Amino acid sequence: MNDTTHGDTTHDDTTHGRLHGRTALVTGSTSNIGRAIAEAFAAQGARVIVSGRDRVRGAEVVEGIRAAGGRADFLAADLDGGAEASRDLAERARAALGGRIDILVNNAGIYPGQDTAGTDEKTFDQVYGVNVKAPFFLTAAVAPWMAESGGGAIVNLGSWIARLGVPVGALYSSTKGAMETLTRAWAAEFGPRGVRVNAVSPGVILPPSPAGTEPHPGEVMMRGTPAGTVGTPDAIANAVVWLASEEAAFVHGAVVDVDGGRTGVAVVAA
């Protein structure tokens, strides 16, 4: 069964974008941060593969990108951690993008709500499978192709709680710590071959609570920070665009905190 939504737009306003002429695969891009990244890439001229499990949402993202003058296709994928699932997506994406992938964004991930004592082995394996094994084997497939074609850029998604502990989140934060470590290791491994590898570490990313409602717990966690409030998916997307572009050509193995100052700065709350 063909699970690719094909087609180019009839007009293109992105011929002078920062990613013009580049191709990109963004995992977990049917909603939230991943969607914002895919939309930002397309707005900057890249041809984008939107990937995820939900075909309906994927089609909506592609339709929106095309309506705005961008180029995008959807590939359904369930990156459960199996090496074959990652390799399969890599192969299908490369074929859909005309034989090359210039940019890979390892964004797909899941967040369990249990504390340590309440986490069973099945959940542990599932979270590590999606959050670490899947991007590991996807990178293992894509990075050598990038090197063979002259270079590329890989951007991983970390998290602020990889370095600032919270009472509930040990499992998830450990997977994001692994991704930040892999970022540096892959920069050393693939950087000399022309493939830049970096990461963005998002802070609390949520839409602000409507006026008159109780604040979301995430908003409370941003009190006492320079930003004083939560961030939006666009804030992360802008940072990823920069790391993927030639403007960041001298950036290797960096983890860019886009967290409103949550991990590195403290201010005195009024």
Side-chain angles (χ1 to χ4, degrees):
M1 179 176 179
N2 190 337
D3 61 2
T4 309
T5 303
H6 290 290
D8 288 336
T9 55
T10 56
H11 63 285
D12 185 0
D13 298 324
T14 60
T15 56
H16 301 293
R18 295 151 74 189
L19 302 177
H20 175 62
R22 308 288 293 281
T23 61
L25 167 60
V26 183
T27 68
S29 48
T30 60
S31 63
N32 203 17
I33 291 174
R35 176 172 184 164
I37 293 170
E39 291 171 343
F41 275 14
Q44 291 296 328
R47 182 178 176 186
V48 183
I49 292 296
V50 174
S51 176
R53 291 175 294 181
D54 193 315
R55 295 171 185 269
V56 174
R57 292 194 306 189
E60 290 173 355
V61 176
V62 168
E63 182 180 356
I65 288 173
R66 292 177 182 170
R71 296 176 298 165
D73 301 304
F74 173 71
L75 286 176
D78 185 2
L79 299 178
D80 58 2
E84 183 55 37
S86 291
R87 284 193 291 262
D88 176 66
L89 174 60
E91 292 281 3
R92 287 185 289 128
R94 183 167 69 158
L97 291 170
R100 78 179 202 272
I101 300 172
D102 300 317
I103 303 165
L104 168 64
V105 180
N106 286 311
N107 168 74
I110 55 176
Y111 184 95
Q114 299 95 333
D115 59 13
T116 299
T119 300
D120 58 29
E121 185 176 9
K122 179 180 179 181
T123 300
F124 184 99
D125 291 342
Q126 180 185 26
V127 175
Y128 261 85
V130 174
N131 293 7
V132 181
K133 283 185 65 180
F136 183 95
F137 287 109
L138 188 57
T139 299
V142 172
W145 297 339
M146 289 180 172
E148 291 168 6
S149 64
I154 297 173
V155 183
N156 299 317
L157 270 291
S159 173
W160 66 278
I161 64 170
R163 277 164 288 131
L164 186 64
V166 296
V168 178
L171 179 57
Y172 177 79
S173 64
S174 69
T175 66
K176 290 304 180 179
M179 288 308 298
E180 294 188 6
T181 297
L182 285 170
T183 296
R184 292 182 285 270
W186 285 336
E189 182 176 355
F190 298 115
R193 300 170 63 188
V195 180
R196 293 188 302 105
V197 185
N198 294 287
V200 171
S201 178
V204 181
I205 306 298
L206 293 165
S209 297
T213 64
E214 288 294 319
H216 187 279
E219 292 180 275
V220 175
M221 296 177 75
M222 289 302 293
R223 292 175 182 171
T225 66
T229 188
V230 299
T232 65
D234 287 344
I236 308 306
N238 290 335
V240 175
V241 166
W242 173 67
L243 285 173
S245 75
E246 287 303 307
E247 296 171 6
F250 201 53
V251 182
H252 291 260
V255 178
V256 179
D257 292 320
V258 186
D259 63 1
R262 186 68 182 87
T263 57
V265 184
V267 299
V268 178

